Amino acid sequence: DIVMTQSPDSLAVSLGERATINCASSQSVLYRSNNKTYVAWYKQKSGQPPKLLIYWASTRESGVPDRFSGSGSGTYFTLTISSLQAEDVAVYYCHQYYSSPLTFGGGTKVEIK
Amino acid sequence: QVQLVQSGSELKKPGASMRVSCKASGYTFSSYGMNWVRQAPGQGPEWMGRISTNTGNPTYAQGFTGRFVFSLDTSVSTAYLQISSLKAEDTAVYYCARDGGGGWDHRWFDPWGQGTLVTVSS
């Protein structure tokens, strides 16, 4: 199974500042034949289902604010919130869909400092 | 709009069985696979498996074989999760989540149902 390890477990960022969440996979999730990285990111607010933010490691889902960006390839990935807003308080999860079983990171809780 | 609506919360006794439904709307049901995800209290999501809405073929993750069954009623665009011999450790929120795209490898999840809280307690 591919293990997804997120860091940090939590972070507190001032409004308008940058938040960076990291995710590492235990093996590469880059499919060389199409050069695609099989990683998605989700945001989960308290009491709600997860909401898709990013897929293919860096493709922003329609309707997601452009302050959210994803980067990385191979085994190391990053979700960046360029200017934290109050509505961004949530837990964020990375997810690999490269191979079964599909797996998630442990989550990063983002709060306002 | 694309939407998944799940059945309501359940309180069950150990040893009982239950079924969660997930009704899809706003798209062609058979064009996207359906996944089931468990989220235990205070934990992250855990993929339980997927059912092809085209063939009805289910795939179960390790740890979700035997007591867990995925099924479909394509006539009403609904997927089902059945759990038998319920245990206290099955207490969790269960989500259905559609494949994000129609391609064979478009296996991110979007959208998700609202979740069904299952509580197993004597």
Side-chain angles (χ1 to χ4, degrees):
Chain A
D1 297 5
I2 297 177
V3 177
M4 305 294 280
T5 303
Q6 284 184 237
S7 61
D9 292 335
S10 64
L11 75 160
V13 176
S14 300
L15 288 171
E17 296 300 305
R18 178 184 300 263
T20 301
I21 300 168
N22 302 304
C23 177
S25 58
S26 60
Q27 64 189 76
S28 176
V29 293
L30 169 65
Y31 194 44
R32 294 197 179 277
S33 66
N34 60 12
N35 201 35
K36 288 185 173 179
T37 299
Y38 287 57
V39 165
W41 288 93
Y42 302 87
K43 169 186 178 181
Q44 186 175 31
K45 301 181 83 167
S46 181
Q48 296 183 16
K51 175 177 178 266
L52 177 70
L53 297 174
I54 302 283
Y55 56 96
W56 297 135
S58 60
T59 301
R60 195 181 305 114
E61 168 70 343
S62 175
V64 172
D66 61 7
R67 64 180 181 273
F68 290 92
S69 64
S71 63
S73 182
T75 61
Y76 192 74
F77 317 96
T78 300
L79 176 70
T80 302
I81 310 172
S82 60
S83 175
L84 192 76
Q85 305 299 304
E87 60 266 32
D88 300 335
V89 169
V91 180
Y92 293 83
Y93 295 98
C94 60
H95 165 221
Q96 69 80 18
Y97 51 98
Y98 179 86
S99 68
S100 187
L102 309 187
T103 50
F104 292 85
T108 296
K109 186 175 184 179
V110 174
E111 300 173 308
I112 305 294
K113 185 187 291 182
Chain B
Q1 76 280 21
V2 176
Q3 196 173 8
L4 302 176
V5 177
Q6 297 183 222
S7 47
S9 298
E10 301 263 14
L11 173 60
K12 293 292 186 180
K13 294 190 184 304
S17 296
M18 59 145 297
R19 190 177 76 166
V20 177
S21 66
C22 170
K23 182 168 177 60
S25 61
Y27 70 98
T28 301
F29 184 67
S30 59
S31 294
Y32 299 81
M34 191 68 76
N35 300 270
W36 289 95
V37 178
R38 181 173 76 179
Q39 190 166 31
Q43 302 299 310
E46 182 179 17
W47 182 68
M48 302 172 65
R50 176 185 184 271
I51 185 166
S52 168
T53 54
N54 188 30
T55 65
N57 182 46
T59 300
Y60 299 96
Q62 197 170 3
F64 295 101
T65 56
R67 297 190 299 117
F68 300 84
V69 176
F70 307 149
S71 62
L72 304 170
D73 185 343
T74 56
S75 68
V76 289
S77 299
T78 300
Y80 300 96
L81 164 66
Q82 183 153 351
I83 311 174
S84 59
S85 302
L86 282 161
K87 306 174 182 180
E89 50 264 42
D90 294 324
T91 294
V93 176
Y94 291 83
Y95 294 101
C96 58
R98 196 195 73 170
D99 283 352
W104 68 270
D105 59 348
H106 291 195
R107 300 292 173 89
W108 60 87
F109 303 150
D110 182 54
W112 297 58
Q114 83 275 20
T116 296
L117 174 62
V118 175
T119 304
V120 183
S121 174
S122 55

